[in-house]
Amino acid sequence: MSTQFTAVEATKSSKPTTGTLKTLAELLPFLRPYRRQFLLAGIALFIAAAATLTIPYAFRQMIDQGFSKVGEGGGHGIEHVNLTFLALFVVAVVLGIATAARFYMVSWIGERVTADIRNAVYAHVVTQSPEFFETTQTGEVLSRLTTDTTLIQSVVGTSISLALRNVLLFAGGLIMLFVTSPILSSIIIVMLILVIVPIILFGRRVRTLSRDSQDRIADASALAGEILNAMPTVQAYTHEQIEANRFSSSVEHAFHTAMRRIRARSLLTMMAILLVFGAIVFVLWLGAQAVLQGEMSGGKLGQFILYASIVAGAIGALSEVLGEAQRAAGATERLLELIAVRSPVSSPEHPLHLPVLDVHGATISFQAVEFHYPSRPQTAALANIHFHVNPGETIALVGASGAGKTSLFQLLLRFYDPQQGEILIEGVPIRQISLHALREVIGIVPQDTVIFSANAMENIRYGRIDASDEEVILAAKQAAAHEFIERLPDAYHSFLGERGVRLSGGQKQRIAIARAILKNPRLLLLDEATSALDAESERLVQQALESAMQGRTTMIIAHRLSTVQRADRIMVLEQGKIIETGTHNELIKLGGTYARLASLQFNLH
């Protein structure tokens, strides 16, 4: 599978890889709002750890003060054993309640923080300019929103709690080991230091493999998303098996990368258990020798063994948590990279307000505009563009594909900024207007119509969310969409399917036109608005558009010259330059490019 160098990957490659703890620490802004919940979870965690650490001491008391006395025939020993077991039951009750409270609180925090991260990433992604989506696959973004956030949820909702619990048990157990036997504890510490260093070093490799594994999963998701969105084309060219094989290859690649991570993590776990428990068994053997020589009581050794088991268990659990943290660190890096991407197009800090627009539409000026697409920096999409549009004027843009017509629309909407020159609306440079205020006065009917997975009513209402049902229906009538919508099974409440699969191309365009009419913009941009319509529908929509164009400035892109003959002015573009300007009749008399195109088209009819 060919890989695509994305905007996210560019950010990734320019950023040094950070350490696990430092990477996870970058989640703190998402954790801070829930300090109270963390405090409650911390209290429950502390109580549970304290209850666990009292158990070995109780067993020591039971052995030394209970069993020993019973062996000597004393009733006091039996009473002490009974009290010890009663105390152990109370400890178990406290431990159960505290553990349940901890589990509830940390699970709540995990779910809440994950939801916040998803919202933050998605809210950031939808503000990106088209340049971002030119170079980043949608599947890559979706993988980060789902798979990566799930890993973070696992860490925040489970692993952090387990890590803190085991840190407390490790620290408390270690202190109690020293209280029980300083000599044996000192030997344990020295040996643990010797075995933990290689574990930490090997853990770095696990983290690298975790990051690679997540990247391969994202690649597979991106490929699947691309193919599923193009399924009619895939099936038309009978490439089902080819695409299935491509996806299988991508999944296998992800599987083999994941297996490398799993093998490394398995070795890490095995190394941790063998080295740590080996060291502890050796020290316990020393303790057993001390009991045999009368230097230590049986209860004291039992207490030491239990505390050593707690410390060893805590270390083993921490090594498991470390493995999860390695994976989550990779996922966190990927999400933070997405959040770190900054759109080259943004609202100014102190935007200027548009003046009250003319009742007849907006005034537009292009002044020496030059523009190169980021993906094609060597080729000028627009070169030295000068023109002025008066309020209420209708301008038609004509030219071959790639001449720069759609680029003019994208600059007007500030999907991109030109490298040179200025674009003004009502005399105000559009770079100095907030993106919301700018796009609010512009309506567009794009060439590639977007239909959302909703009913017809909501698809049209997308043009103005607060519009009433009556206003939606009126816009549909103006766009010649009302009749076919009424014939749908549930009329305006009919679900249109994903990407409008239940509609024809012409019906989709009439929905888009109704959406633009409902918005009631001062500037209307029509990009091949009637290209997918049959002759009868085109006639109806042209009438609707002529009505909709009243009182507003309109710019039309059209390859069918029959749709632009009545424009106030026609501009002919070629290789990003305006080469002819005039009315239909003037350009026919000029005998240039427009006249040649008109001759070809009208002769065909």
Side-chain angles (χ1 to χ4, degrees), residues 293-334:
Q293 294 170 16
E295 299 172 1
M296 179 184 286
S297 70
K300 204 171 186 182
L301 178 60
Q303 176 178 315
F304 189 87
I305 290 173
L306 287 175
Y307 280 126
S309 299
I310 288 173
V311 170
I315 293 173
L318 285 171
S319 71
E320 283 286 322
V321 171
L322 180 61
E324 285 295 319
Q326 303 284 10
R327 291 188 71 195
T332 301
E333 270 188 341
R334 287 158 49 82

mmCIF file of all heavy atoms in Angstrom, residues 293-334:
data_model
loop_
_atom_site.group_PDB
_atom_site.id
_atom_site.type_symbol
_atom_site.label_atom_id
_atom_site.label_comp_id
_atom_site.label_asym_id
_atom_site.label_seq_id
_atom_site.Cartn_x
_atom_site.Cartn_y
_atom_site.Cartn_z
ATOM 1 N N GLN A 293 18.112 -19.973 63.050
ATOM 2 C CA GLN A 293 19.189 -19.668 64.000
ATOM 3 C C GLN A 293 18.665 -18.886 65.210
ATOM 4 O O GLN A 293 19.447 -18.451 66.060
ATOM 5 C CB GLN A 293 20.294 -18.881 63.309
ATOM 6 C CG GLN A 293 21.017 -19.705 62.230
ATOM 7 C CD GLN A 293 21.945 -18.868 61.361
ATOM 8 O OE1 GLN A 293 22.271 -17.741 61.734
ATOM 9 N NE2 GLN A 293 22.362 -19.414 60.237
ATOM 10 N N GLY A 294 17.339 -18.662 65.285
ATOM 11 C CA GLY A 294 16.743 -17.982 66.421
ATOM 12 C C GLY A 294 16.931 -16.485 66.427
ATOM 13 O O GLY A 294 16.700 -15.833 67.447
ATOM 14 N N GLU A 295 17.334 -15.907 65.291
ATOM 15 C CA GLU A 295 17.534 -14.445 65.208
ATOM 16 C C GLU A 295 16.253 -13.700 64.851
ATOM 17 O O GLU A 295 16.217 -12.474 64.871
ATOM 18 C CB GLU A 295 18.624 -14.139 64.179
ATOM 19 C CG GLU A 295 19.988 -14.750 64.542
ATOM 20 C CD GLU A 295 21.000 -14.596 63.416
ATOM 21 O OE1 GLU A 295 20.641 -14.002 62.384
ATOM 22 O OE2 GLU A 295 22.140 -15.062 63.577
ATOM 23 N N MET A 296 15.195 -14.422 64.474
ATOM 24 C CA MET A 296 13.944 -13.783 64.043
ATOM 25 C C MET A 296 12.799 -14.724 64.388
ATOM 26 O O MET A 296 12.945 -15.954 64.294
ATOM 27 C CB MET A 296 13.989 -13.525 62.534
ATOM 28 C CG MET A 296 12.740 -12.880 61.959
ATOM 29 S SD MET A 296 12.810 -12.715 60.145
ATOM 30 C CE MET A 296 13.952 -11.372 59.960
ATOM 31 N N SER A 297 11.636 -14.171 64.803
ATOM 32 C CA SER A 297 10.485 -15.009 65.130
ATOM 33 C C SER A 297 9.781 -15.452 63.851
ATOM 34 O O SER A 297 9.913 -14.830 62.789
ATOM 35 C CB SER A 297 9.506 -14.232 66.021
ATOM 36 O OG SER A 297 8.875 -13.209 65.272
ATOM 37 N N GLY A 298 8.989 -16.532 63.988
ATOM 38 C CA GLY A 298 8.224 -17.022 62.831
ATOM 39 C C GLY A 298 7.227 -15.992 62.332
ATOM 40 O O GLY A 298 7.024 -15.822 61.125
ATOM 41 N N GLY A 299 6.551 -15.300 63.283
ATOM 42 C CA GLY A 299 5.583 -14.279 62.899
ATOM 43 C C GLY A 299 6.236 -13.136 62.153
ATOM 44 O O GLY A 299 5.689 -12.596 61.179
ATOM 45 N N LYS A 300 7.432 -12.759 62.605
ATOM 46 C CA LYS A 300 8.150 -11.662 61.961
ATOM 47 C C LYS A 300 8.533 -12.037 60.533
ATOM 48 O O LYS A 300 8.416 -11.240 59.597
ATOM 49 C CB LYS A 300 9.400 -11.322 62.773
ATOM 50 C CG LYS A 300 9.919 -9.919 62.577
ATOM 51 C CD LYS A 300 11.023 -9.625 63.594
ATOM 52 C CE LYS A 300 11.438 -8.166 63.504
ATOM 53 N NZ LYS A 300 12.539 -7.865 64.447
ATOM 54 N N LEU A 301 8.966 -13.293 60.337
ATOM 55 C CA LEU A 301 9.309 -13.749 58.994
ATOM 56 C C LEU A 301 8.053 -13.803 58.114
ATOM 57 O O LEU A 301 8.094 -13.410 56.938
ATOM 58 C CB LEU A 301 9.970 -15.126 59.035
ATOM 59 C CG LEU A 301 10.342 -15.722 57.658
ATOM 60 C CD1 LEU A 301 11.336 -14.814 56.925
ATOM 61 C CD2 LEU A 301 10.899 -17.129 57.789
ATOM 62 N N GLY A 302 6.945 -14.286 58.736
ATOM 63 C CA GLY A 302 5.685 -14.308 57.969
ATOM 64 C C GLY A 302 5.288 -12.917 57.530
ATOM 65 O O GLY A 302 4.851 -12.698 56.387
ATOM 66 N N GLN A 303 5.426 -11.952 58.462
ATOM 67 C CA GLN A 303 5.119 -10.554 58.123
ATOM 68 C C GLN A 303 6.028 -10.074 57.001
ATOM 69 O O GLN A 303 5.576 -9.436 56.042
ATOM 70 C CB GLN A 303 5.287 -9.676 59.360
ATOM 71 C CG GLN A 303 5.080 -8.184 59.079
ATOM 72 C CD GLN A 303 5.220 -7.350 60.361
ATOM 73 O OE1 GLN A 303 4.674 -7.712 61.387
ATOM 74 N NE2 GLN A 303 5.964 -6.254 60.266
ATOM 75 N N PHE A 304 7.323 -10.394 57.107
ATOM 76 C CA PHE A 304 8.287 -9.968 56.089
ATOM 77 C C PHE A 304 7.940 -10.579 54.729
ATOM 78 O O PHE A 304 7.980 -9.898 53.689
ATOM 79 C CB PHE A 304 9.707 -10.373 56.512
ATOM 80 C CG PHE A 304 10.776 -9.792 55.640
ATOM 81 C CD1 PHE A 304 11.304 -8.543 55.899
ATOM 82 C CD2 PHE A 304 11.249 -10.490 54.520
ATOM 83 C CE1 PHE A 304 12.286 -7.993 55.085
ATOM 84 C CE2 PHE A 304 12.229 -9.957 53.712
ATOM 85 C CZ PHE A 304 12.756 -8.704 53.989
ATOM 86 N N ILE A 305 7.545 -11.881 54.738
ATOM 87 C CA ILE A 305 7.190 -12.542 53.484
ATOM 88 C C ILE A 305 5.971 -11.879 52.830
ATOM 89 O O ILE A 305 5.944 -11.628 51.624
ATOM 90 C CB ILE A 305 6.910 -14.052 53.741
ATOM 91 C CG1 ILE A 305 8.214 -14.766 54.078
ATOM 92 C CG2 ILE A 305 6.250 -14.698 52.520
ATOM 93 C CD1 ILE A 305 8.004 -16.216 54.520
ATOM 94 N N LEU A 306 4.966 -11.576 53.660
ATOM 95 C CA LEU A 306 3.757 -10.955 53.099
ATOM 96 C C LEU A 306 4.058 -9.555 52.534
ATOM 97 O O LEU A 306 3.581 -9.201 51.456
ATOM 98 C CB LEU A 306 2.667 -10.879 54.169
ATOM 99 C CG LEU A 306 2.010 -12.228 54.535
ATOM 100 C CD1 LEU A 306 1.043 -12.042 55.693
ATOM 101 C CD2 LEU A 306 1.284 -12.806 53.326
ATOM 102 N N TYR A 307 4.849 -8.785 53.287
ATOM 103 C CA TYR A 307 5.204 -7.457 52.776
ATOM 104 C C TYR A 307 6.070 -7.572 51.510
ATOM 105 O O TYR A 307 5.924 -6.797 50.556
ATOM 106 C CB TYR A 307 5.923 -6.634 53.836
ATOM 107 C CG TYR A 307 4.979 -6.001 54.834
ATOM 108 C CD1 TYR A 307 5.150 -6.196 56.207
ATOM 109 C CD2 TYR A 307 3.917 -5.207 54.406
ATOM 110 C CE1 TYR A 307 4.275 -5.636 57.125
ATOM 111 C CE2 TYR A 307 3.046 -4.645 55.322
ATOM 112 C CZ TYR A 307 3.225 -4.863 56.675
ATOM 113 O OH TYR A 307 2.352 -4.298 57.575
ATOM 114 N N ALA A 308 6.967 -8.561 51.498
ATOM 115 C CA ALA A 308 7.785 -8.778 50.302
ATOM 116 C C ALA A 308 6.899 -9.166 49.117
ATOM 117 O O ALA A 308 7.132 -8.736 47.980
ATOM 118 C CB ALA A 308 8.825 -9.859 50.559
ATOM 119 N N SER A 309 5.859 -9.985 49.400
ATOM 120 C CA SER A 309 4.927 -10.366 48.338
ATOM 121 C C SER A 309 4.171 -9.148 47.817
ATOM 122 O O SER A 309 3.947 -8.995 46.603
ATOM 123 C CB SER A 309 3.931 -11.403 48.855
ATOM 124 O OG SER A 309 4.614 -12.562 49.275
ATOM 125 N N ILE A 310 3.774 -8.272 48.735
ATOM 126 C CA ILE A 310 3.076 -7.047 48.329
ATOM 127 C C ILE A 310 3.980 -6.181 47.452
ATOM 128 O O ILE A 310 3.574 -5.662 46.403
ATOM 129 C CB ILE A 310 2.592 -6.264 49.568
ATOM 130 C CG1 ILE A 310 1.423 -7.008 50.226
ATOM 131 C CG2 ILE A 310 2.180 -4.837 49.191
ATOM 132 C CD1 ILE A 310 0.975 -6.422 51.551
ATOM 133 N N VAL A 311 5.249 -6.020 47.897
ATOM 134 C CA VAL A 311 6.198 -5.214 47.120
ATOM 135 C C VAL A 311 6.447 -5.849 45.755
ATOM 136 O O VAL A 311 6.443 -5.171 44.721
ATOM 137 C CB VAL A 311 7.526 -5.046 47.897
ATOM 138 C CG1 VAL A 311 8.599 -4.421 47.012
ATOM 139 C CG2 VAL A 311 7.305 -4.193 49.140
ATOM 140 N N ALA A 312 6.642 -7.175 45.729
ATOM 141 C CA ALA A 312 6.889 -7.860 44.453
ATOM 142 C C ALA A 312 5.673 -7.766 43.545
ATOM 143 O O ALA A 312 5.798 -7.520 42.342
ATOM 144 C CB ALA A 312 7.238 -9.321 44.718
ATOM 145 N N GLY A 313 4.484 -7.970 44.123
ATOM 146 C CA GLY A 313 3.258 -7.849 43.324
ATOM 147 C C GLY A 313 3.092 -6.451 42.769
ATOM 148 O O GLY A 313 2.658 -6.260 41.624
ATOM 149 N N ALA A 314 3.433 -5.449 43.604
ATOM 150 C CA ALA A 314 3.328 -4.055 43.136
ATOM 151 C C ALA A 314 4.271 -3.798 41.976
ATOM 152 O O ALA A 314 3.907 -3.147 40.985
ATOM 153 C CB ALA A 314 3.633 -3.099 44.292
ATOM 154 N N ILE A 315 5.503 -4.344 42.070
ATOM 155 C CA ILE A 315 6.465 -4.154 40.985
ATOM 156 C C ILE A 315 5.984 -4.852 39.714
ATOM 157 O O ILE A 315 6.057 -4.301 38.613
ATOM 158 C CB ILE A 315 7.859 -4.669 41.397
ATOM 159 C CG1 ILE A 315 8.425 -3.792 42.515
ATOM 160 C CG2 ILE A 315 8.806 -4.684 40.196
ATOM 161 C CD1 ILE A 315 9.713 -4.302 43.099
ATOM 162 N N GLY A 316 5.458 -6.092 39.863
ATOM 163 C CA GLY A 316 4.932 -6.804 38.698
ATOM 164 C C GLY A 316 3.784 -6.050 38.062
ATOM 165 O O GLY A 316 3.716 -5.921 36.833
ATOM 166 N N ALA A 317 2.863 -5.527 38.895
ATOM 167 C CA ALA A 317 1.730 -4.770 38.365
ATOM 168 C C ALA A 317 2.201 -3.488 37.692
ATOM 169 O O ALA A 317 1.668 -3.084 36.653
ATOM 170 C CB ALA A 317 0.749 -4.449 39.494
ATOM 171 N N LEU A 318 3.225 -2.838 38.290
ATOM 172 C CA LEU A 318 3.744 -1.605 37.692
ATOM 173 C C LEU A 318 4.381 -1.875 36.330
ATOM 174 O O LEU A 318 4.306 -1.040 35.427
ATOM 175 C CB LEU A 318 4.755 -0.944 38.629
ATOM 176 C CG LEU A 318 4.158 -0.227 39.843
ATOM 177 C CD1 LEU A 318 5.253 0.201 40.803
ATOM 178 C CD2 LEU A 318 3.343 0.990 39.388
ATOM 179 N N SER A 319 5.008 -3.046 36.171
ATOM 180 C CA SER A 319 5.586 -3.373 34.862
ATOM 181 C C SER A 319 4.485 -3.559 33.823
ATOM 182 O O SER A 319 4.616 -3.164 32.666
ATOM 183 C CB SER A 319 6.451 -4.629 34.962
ATOM 184 O OG SER A 319 5.658 -5.787 35.143
ATOM 185 N N GLU A 320 3.335 -4.151 34.255
ATOM 186 C CA GLU A 320 2.185 -4.284 33.360
ATOM 187 C C GLU A 320 1.643 -2.908 32.991
ATOM 188 O O GLU A 320 1.350 -2.621 31.839
ATOM 189 C CB GLU A 320 1.081 -5.105 34.048
ATOM 190 C CG GLU A 320 1.333 -6.590 34.079
ATOM 191 C CD GLU A 320 1.135 -7.232 32.718
ATOM 192 O OE1 GLU A 320 0.214 -6.831 31.991
ATOM 193 O OE2 GLU A 320 1.927 -8.112 32.362
ATOM 194 N N VAL A 321 1.493 -2.065 34.018
ATOM 195 C CA VAL A 321 0.990 -0.710 33.786
ATOM 196 C C VAL A 321 1.940 0.053 32.878
ATOM 197 O O VAL A 321 1.510 0.826 32.014
ATOM 198 C CB VAL A 321 0.803 0.027 35.128
ATOM 199 C CG1 VAL A 321 0.506 1.503 34.904
ATOM 200 C CG2 VAL A 321 -0.324 -0.620 35.921
ATOM 201 N N LEU A 322 3.243 -0.170 33.060
ATOM 202 C CA LEU A 322 4.224 0.508 32.215
ATOM 203 C C LEU A 322 4.014 0.141 30.753
ATOM 204 O O LEU A 322 4.095 0.992 29.863
ATOM 205 C CB LEU A 322 5.640 0.129 32.654
ATOM 206 C CG LEU A 322 6.793 0.775 31.857
ATOM 207 C CD1 LEU A 322 6.738 2.286 31.980
ATOM 208 C CD2 LEU A 322 8.127 0.239 32.327
ATOM 209 N N GLY A 323 3.701 -1.152 30.501
ATOM 210 C CA GLY A 323 3.422 -1.569 29.126
ATOM 211 C C GLY A 323 2.226 -0.830 28.556
ATOM 212 O O GLY A 323 2.246 -0.362 27.413
ATOM 213 N N GLU A 324 1.141 -0.713 29.365
ATOM 214 C CA GLU A 324 -0.035 0.036 28.926
ATOM 215 C C GLU A 324 0.315 1.508 28.718
ATOM 216 O O GLU A 324 -0.147 2.146 27.781
ATOM 217 C CB GLU A 324 -1.159 -0.088 29.964
ATOM 218 C CG GLU A 324 -1.862 -1.423 29.976
ATOM 219 C CD GLU A 324 -2.605 -1.689 28.684
ATOM 220 O OE1 GLU A 324 -3.237 -0.766 28.144
ATOM 221 O OE2 GLU A 324 -2.523 -2.829 28.183
ATOM 222 N N ALA A 325 1.126 2.035 29.631
ATOM 223 C CA ALA A 325 1.512 3.443 29.524
ATOM 224 C C ALA A 325 2.313 3.689 28.251
ATOM 225 O O ALA A 325 2.200 4.747 27.617
ATOM 226 C CB ALA A 325 2.322 3.859 30.746
ATOM 227 N N GLN A 326 3.143 2.696 27.858
ATOM 228 C CA GLN A 326 3.916 2.840 26.623
ATOM 229 C C GLN A 326 2.986 2.975 25.435
ATOM 230 O O GLN A 326 3.183 3.817 24.553
ATOM 231 C CB GLN A 326 4.834 1.609 26.429
ATOM 232 C CG GLN A 326 5.804 1.329 27.555
ATOM 233 C CD GLN A 326 6.992 2.286 27.556
ATOM 234 O OE1 GLN A 326 7.008 3.266 26.840
ATOM 235 N NE2 GLN A 326 7.975 2.001 28.376
ATOM 236 N N ARG A 327 1.950 2.132 25.393
ATOM 237 C CA ARG A 327 0.994 2.200 24.284
ATOM 238 C C ARG A 327 0.227 3.524 24.327
ATOM 239 O O ARG A 327 0.024 4.171 23.307
ATOM 240 C CB ARG A 327 0.001 1.049 24.362
ATOM 241 C CG ARG A 327 0.604 -0.312 24.074
ATOM 242 C CD ARG A 327 -0.484 -1.362 23.979
ATOM 243 N NE ARG A 327 -1.269 -1.194 22.771
ATOM 244 C CZ ARG A 327 -2.452 -1.757 22.549
ATOM 245 N NH1 ARG A 327 -2.997 -2.517 23.482
ATOM 246 N NH2 ARG A 327 -3.106 -1.559 21.430
ATOM 247 N N ALA A 328 -0.205 3.911 25.537
ATOM 248 C CA ALA A 328 -0.975 5.145 25.657
ATOM 249 C C ALA A 328 -0.131 6.359 25.315
ATOM 250 O O ALA A 328 -0.636 7.349 24.784
ATOM 251 C CB ALA A 328 -1.531 5.281 27.071
ATOM 252 N N ALA A 329 1.166 6.291 25.620
ATOM 253 C CA ALA A 329 2.049 7.417 25.281
ATOM 254 C C ALA A 329 2.103 7.611 23.774
ATOM 255 O O ALA A 329 2.056 8.739 23.275
ATOM 256 C CB ALA A 329 3.448 7.160 25.839
ATOM 257 N N GLY A 330 2.179 6.477 23.040
ATOM 258 C CA GLY A 330 2.162 6.575 21.581
ATOM 259 C C GLY A 330 0.851 7.170 21.096
ATOM 260 O O GLY A 330 0.827 8.037 20.224
ATOM 261 N N ALA A 331 -0.272 6.709 21.672
ATOM 262 C CA ALA A 331 -1.584 7.235 21.285
ATOM 263 C C ALA A 331 -1.707 8.708 21.639
ATOM 264 O O ALA A 331 -2.243 9.513 20.865
ATOM 265 C CB ALA A 331 -2.682 6.436 21.995
ATOM 266 N N THR A 332 -1.181 9.089 22.805
ATOM 267 C CA THR A 332 -1.240 10.492 23.226
ATOM 268 C C THR A 332 -0.446 11.376 22.276
ATOM 269 O O THR A 332 -0.897 12.460 21.891
ATOM 270 C CB THR A 332 -0.682 10.637 24.660
ATOM 271 O OG1 THR A 332 -1.449 9.812 25.538
ATOM 272 C CG2 THR A 332 -0.742 12.078 25.130
ATOM 273 N N GLU A 333 0.729 10.908 21.887
ATOM 274 C CA GLU A 333 1.540 11.663 20.934
ATOM 275 C C GLU A 333 0.771 11.915 19.646
ATOM 276 O O GLU A 333 0.760 13.021 19.111
ATOM 277 C CB GLU A 333 2.826 10.891 20.608
ATOM 278 C CG GLU A 333 3.984 11.201 21.526
ATOM 279 C CD GLU A 333 5.279 10.564 21.045
ATOM 280 O OE1 GLU A 333 5.221 9.620 20.241
ATOM 281 O OE2 GLU A 333 6.325 11.017 21.479
ATOM 282 N N ARG A 334 0.107 10.867 19.152
ATOM 283 C CA ARG A 334 -0.618 10.989 17.891
ATOM 284 C C ARG A 334 -1.774 11.987 18.018
ATOM 285 O O ARG A 334 -2.014 12.789 17.110
ATOM 286 C CB ARG A 334 -1.137 9.611 17.470
ATOM 287 C CG ARG A 334 -0.068 8.675 16.960
ATOM 288 C CD ARG A 334 -0.485 7.212 17.062
ATOM 289 N NE ARG A 334 -1.808 6.969 16.530
ATOM 290 C CZ ARG A 334 -2.091 6.788 15.224
ATOM 291 N NH1 ARG A 334 -1.110 6.837 14.340
ATOM 292 N NH2 ARG A 334 -3.325 6.574 14.811
#
